[in-house]
Amino acid sequence: MDHPSDHLLEIISRHDYPEAARRAVLDVERRLAADPAFARHFDRAVCLAMGVDPDSPAAAPSAPWAQTREPVGLGFALGRVSDLAKANGVGEELLQLVFLLRASEILKSRYAERGVPESRFWDSVEDFKFKLLECMECRGKPGTFVAGWNEGLLRMQRFTYGRFQYETAPFPGDDFATACGRVVRWGETVVNFHIPSSGVPLSDAVRLASYREAWQAYRDRFPDGRVVFLCTSWLLYPAQREFLPASSNILKFIDDFEIVRSGESDKFGDAWRIFGAAGGRPPEEWPRDTSLRRAYADWILSGRKAGWGWGLIVFDGEKIVR
């Protein structure tokens, strides 16, 4: 591999990485260029994770990155990268981010091979930036602390359509009868979706546009043309209706769903998603500079708990079916 490659330069420019992150990534690339042994082991981890035999001609910088073997588990490859980070004095989170950026070069060629629009690739890998910003906010340095999350993205099993990320999955609950009469049965295929920390408000227009786009992609998997979406998130905690204003986009998001199950936890493990690095501090020290932060801080300080929910949406291509 070339260090840095044109692809790496394009992705950090196209997605407008913060200057501190650009410098850090390019510093790692310069170190790889200057140390052939470091680069060889690093490139090998990338190739193995993406199913390219690192000793074959397909691993050459100008190759089309054809898959020549089964990819190793992402966890195994990331373990190798962590070892390389320690051995070469590079931050583990930073080297794992560079690993993902380099793996995405191979991924981009896979999108082209399968005829998937290039725009879908760029939309999907923008999640690297969102995770980078989380790392900078929570740990004060460029990188990613959830690199393993990207297995589905690198395997072309998870895609971004508008505001959300989608992937097929078996329904994990007992048979559930929705309000429209559609019975979702244990183990049947549904479309699971996730909410990237892009900062884009969850407005009615944004949510529906994403559902419609995803419906186009997945409708053929559902005989009646009605796609069943599934989501699990702290954002679906029903008790938020008690302390968030009626105008909140979070409550409008909850109203999209039929909640199948919800619960509470003694420890608010998702506090960092709202409060950033301060989420690990006592609630008395949480910042209160937004209405959401004030509402959550007041709720927890009043002795109440945070929670989660998971629910279903039945979508016919234009609207949520009730």
Side-chain angles (χ1 to χ4, degrees):
M1 292 182 179
D2 295 328
H3 294 282
S5 69
D6 290 342
H7 172 82
L8 184 139
L9 295 172
E10 181 177 7
I11 194 171
I12 63 177
S13 176
R14 179 186 286 262
H15 289 152
D16 195 22
Y17 279 36
E19 184 59 32
R22 294 188 194 204
R23 290 197 303 268
V25 167
L26 292 177
D27 181 63
V28 170
E29 286 289 306
R30 283 190 289 270
R31 293 191 59 177
L32 288 164
D35 187 337
F38 183 15
R40 182 173 64 255
H41 290 297
F42 177 80
D43 294 348
R44 186 177 185 85
V46 172
C47 287
L48 290 175
M50 296 302 292
V52 175
D53 183 345
D55 299 318
S56 77
S62 60
W65 299 112
Q67 184 166 329
T68 56
R69 52 169 292 158
E70 283 299 307
V72 302
L74 185 57
F76 175 83
L78 289 171
R80 299 279 295 270
V81 173
S82 295
D83 292 342
L84 285 170
K86 295 171 186 173
N88 291 276
V90 179
E92 180 177 353
E93 295 95 339
L94 177 58
L95 194 60
Q96 290 192 347
L97 172 63
V98 176
F99 168 88
L100 293 174
L101 296 175
R102 300 316 303 259
S104 75
E105 183 171 356
I106 302 174
L107 180 65
K108 185 171 182 283
S109 72
R110 303 274 168 79
Y111 270 67
E113 290 167 8
R114 300 189 190 184
V116 181
E118 186 176 320
S119 60
R120 183 72 52 232
F121 166 80
W122 290 114
D123 287 348
S124 295
V125 299
E126 191 174 11
D127 196 46
F128 296 159
K129 178 187 175 180
F130 304 147
K131 297 296 189 287
L132 159 68
L133 295 177
E134 289 174 357
C135 191
M136 295 180 74
E137 166 67 23
C138 293
R139 301 196 177 179
K141 55 188 176 182
T144 177
F145 54 82
V146 289
W149 159 254
N150 294 281
E151 183 100 41
L153 188 154
L154 295 179
R155 303 289 176 256
M156 294 189 69
Q157 297 164 349
R158 183 186 306 135
F159 302 90
T160 295
Y161 296 100
R163 180 63 177 84
F164 305 122
Q165 299 170 343
Y166 298 85
E167 62 193 346
T168 57
F171 181 61
D174 296 330
D175 294 359
F176 183 83
T178 66
C180 70
R182 172 73 158 81
V183 178
V184 184
R185 303 193 182 280
W186 179 86
E188 78 167 89
T189 296
V190 296
V191 179
N192 191 30
F193 75 94
H194 312 279
I195 309 140
S197 56
S198 66
V200 175
L202 297 174
S203 67
D204 293 348
V206 164
R207 298 193 318 275
L208 287 172
S210 182
Y211 302 153
R212 288 177 180 133
E213 194 174 347
W215 177 85
Q216 289 283 353
Y218 294 102
R219 61 180 175 172
D220 291 344
R221 298 176 184 237
F222 295 84
D224 63 359
R226 297 184 297 176
V227 173
V228 180
F229 293 121
L230 167 69
C231 184
T232 305
S233 174
W234 66 273
L235 289 167
L236 294 181
Y237 177 42
Q240 290 175 116
R241 293 190 177 96
E242 299 179 36
F243 63 93
L244 295 182
S247 60
S248 167
N249 284 330
I250 292 177
L251 298 190
K252 295 175 184 178
F253 182 55
I254 293 175
D255 289 341
D256 288 349
F257 292 84
E258 295 182 54
I259 301 299
V260 177
R261 189 176 301 163
S262 64
E264 295 180 332
S265 54
D266 292 330
K267 180 176 174 58
F268 188 16
D270 288 305
W272 66 274
R273 300 184 186 276
I274 300 172
F275 300 100
R281 302 176 193 162
E284 295 82 359
E285 299 179 18
W286 287 348
R288 306 171 64 87
D289 53 336
T290 70
S291 59
L292 179 62
R293 286 178 166 183
R294 287 191 295 274
Y296 254 97
D298 288 343
W299 177 256
I300 298 299
L301 287 171
S302 71
R304 307 300 292 271
K305 295 179 180 180
W308 52 272
W310 62 276
L312 295 171
I313 294 171
V314 179
F315 196 77
D316 68 2
E318 286 297 325
K319 64 184 183 302
I320 296 170
V321 183
R322 304 292 187 181

